[in-house]
Amino acid sequence: AVLIIACPCAMGLATPTAILVGTGRGAQLGLLIKGPEILESTKKVDTIVLDKTGTVTTGVMSVSEVVTAEGLDESTVISYAAAVEAGSEHPIAKAIVNHAGEHPAATDFQSQAGLGVTGTVDGHRVAVGRRRAGRMDVSRKAVSSAGDANLGTLTDAFTSAEESGGTPIVVRIDDDIAGVITVRDTIKDTSAAAIAQLQELGLTPYLLTGDNEGAARAVAREVGIDPANVFAGVMPDEKVSKVIELQEAGKTVAMVGDGVNDAAALAQADLGLAMGAGTDVAIEASDITLMNSDLRSAASAIRLSRKTFSTIKGNLFWAFAYNVILIPVAAAGFLNPLFAGLAMAFSSVFVVGNSLRLRAFQAE
C-alpha cells in the first residue's frame, strides 16, 4: 500500500499538463508562448514598455500636409522625397511613397537608423529625415539660403506638426531645406482598453518611441498613459538603454514591439512580446508572439501565463499534500492496496482535470 500510494505520477503530471493545456489554449487565441520559463517571468513583471508605431498605433501613416520652400512646388519636393524613401520599409517612408505616386529613381541610397535616408535623385543629393535632421539647424547653408521669412514658414510648419501630434519630416535637396512633410498615424481602436487591462494586472505602462515628444504625449494622453512615462525621440540603440534604466531602478520589465529597431530591447527585457505583423527579427527576439497584433492580446498573454503558472503550483500542492497525508495512513496499515491504487489514480486524474480547466480561459 505504501509503495502504491507513494507513486509520483501526480507530481510528474503537475507541470507538463498545465503547460501543455495553457500553451495550447494560447495558440488557439493567437498567443504563441515559446517556453515554460516564460511563465515565471510574467508573474514578476510590474512594468510594460510599449513601442508606439505599429503597437499602440496602426502604423499605417498618411501625409497630411506638405510645406515647401519658396520657389519649389509641392510635387517636386514630395517626388524627390519618395524617390529616396522607396528604399526604406519604415511606415513613414511608405506614407510618403504612397502620397507621391509616380516618382523618379534614386541611387546611392543610405539609411541611418533613427535619422532618415539619403540618396541621389536626378543629380541632386536628397536627405529625408526627422530628429536631428529635422531641427532646422543641421545645415547653416540651408538657413542662409532659405531666407529668414521662408525659414520661419518652414519652422512654423515643423513646430505646428509636433504640437498637434503629427510627425514632421524635413526634406533637404543639395543641403538646402526644401520642405516639411507632416505625416500622421492613427491610434488603434483597442489600445485604450488594452492599457486599462494592463494597469488592472498591476503593470505600469511606458511609451517608447523615436517620434517627437509632442506626438508621443498626444498618443499617451489618448490611451491613458501618464505623460511622465513617455520616452520620446529615442534612437534605436537607445531603446535598450531605456529598458536597462528601468531594470536598474528595480523594475521587472516587459516590452512590446514590432520592428527591427525593437529587437534588441525585446531581447533585453525580462519578457518580450512581439506583434505578429511585425518583422521576423522582432518575433525571433521575443518570448511571446501576438499573432493578431491587437495590444489587448498582451494583457491576455500575461493573464494566461499567470493562470498557467498558478495552476502548476496548485497541481504540485495537491500532489504533495496527497502523499503527505496518505503515506502515513498506508504505513500504519489502515489503507488497503486496492484503495491505495484507486487513490493514486484519482490524484493523477485530479491533476489532469485541474490543468484542463485552462481550456476555458477567455481573452477579454
Side-chain angles (χ1 to χ4, degrees):
V2 171
L3 289 174
I4 294 171
I5 206 69
C7 177
C9 292
M11 286 183 283
L13 291 170
T15 298
T17 54
I19 291 176
L20 180 65
V21 178
T23 54
R25 181 56 181 158
Q28 290 178 329
L29 297 172
L31 313 172
L32 304 185
I33 302 172
K34 292 185 178 179
E37 68 282 355
I38 296 166
L39 302 176
E40 191 166 1
S41 300
T42 61
K43 178 178 177 292
K44 300 176 181 178
V45 167
D46 56 24
T47 301
I48 186 162
V49 178
L50 307 168
D51 174 54
K52 182 177 77 70
T53 305
T55 303
V56 176
T57 64
T58 62
V60 180
M61 293 187 164
S62 59
V63 174
S64 63
E65 185 181 22
V66 180
V67 179
T68 64
E70 187 176 352
L72 292 175
D73 59 85
E74 179 179 325
S75 62
T76 299
V77 173
I78 197 72
S79 65
Y80 274 34
V84 291
E85 291 283 26
S88 172
E89 294 183 354
H90 196 280
I92 289 177
K94 294 178 181 178
I96 293 174
V97 171
N98 291 338
H99 185 81
E102 292 187 9
H103 55 78
T107 57
D108 301 326
F109 172 81
Q110 291 183 341
S111 176
Q112 292 180 286
L115 289 176
V117 293
T118 60
T120 302
V121 184
D122 295 339
H124 299 283
R125 192 63 182 166
V126 179
V128 184
R130 49 181 174 163
R131 283 183 55 84
R132 296 186 180 92
R135 294 306 178 196
M136 297 293 189
D137 59 358
V138 174
S139 171
R140 292 297 176 188
K141 177 182 175 183
V143 173
S144 61
S145 63
D148 292 340
N150 194 39
L151 180 62
T153 300
L154 296 173
T155 302
D156 289 344
F158 188 92
T159 303
S160 176
E162 284 193 324
E163 291 177 348
S164 64
T167 302
I169 305 299
V170 173
V171 181
R172 290 184 292 148
I173 300 177
D174 294 330
D175 285 332
D176 293 335
I177 298 176
V180 174
I181 301 172
T182 301
V183 298
R184 297 185 184 277
D185 197 358
T186 55
I187 297 173
K188 292 179 180 178
D189 296 336
T190 57
S191 289
I195 298 300
Q197 290 177 14
L198 291 168
Q199 291 172 330
E200 288 174 1
L201 290 170
L203 278 62
T204 302
Y206 283 75
L207 189 66
L208 181 65
T209 179
D211 212 341
N212 67 79
E213 191 164 339
R217 288 183 179 275
V219 170
R221 284 193 297 270
E222 191 164 340
V223 299
I225 296 176
D226 187 343
N229 294 342
V230 172
F231 296 131
V234 179
M235 297 289 286
D237 57 337
E238 295 173 342
K239 290 187 176 183
V240 178
S241 300
K242 293 299 182 183
V243 172
I244 293 175
E245 182 182 316
L246 291 171
Q247 290 173 326
E248 290 178 345
K251 302 181 185 299
T252 303
V253 182
M255 167 78 186
V256 186
D258 71 323
V260 174
N261 294 342
D262 302 320
L266 287 168
Q268 174 62 41
D270 299 286
L271 177 67
L273 300 96
M275 293 294 187
T279 62
D280 292 340
V281 176
I283 292 172
E284 183 64 28
S286 67
D287 300 308
I288 299 176
T289 302
L290 313 177
M291 294 305 296
N292 58 10
S293 295
D294 186 334
L295 189 56
R296 290 177 301 179
S297 295
S300 296
I302 292 173
R303 284 196 301 110
L304 175 59
S305 296
R306 288 180 176 180
K307 190 170 182 61
T308 302
F309 188 72
S310 176
T311 300
I312 291 172
K313 291 198 298 182
N315 285 348
L316 289 171
F317 170 79
W318 287 112
F320 276 105
Y322 152 83
N323 281 343
V324 168
I325 294 171
L326 292 184
I327 287 178
V329 174
F334 295 118
L335 191 63
N336 184 288
L338 175 62
F339 290 107
L342 292 174
M344 183 272 292
F346 174 76
S347 68
S348 297
V349 171
F350 176 83
V351 165
V352 173
N354 191 44
S355 296
L356 288 175
R357 292 192 305 126
L358 289 169
R359 294 188 304 175
F361 177 87
Q362 295 293 330
E364 292 184 1

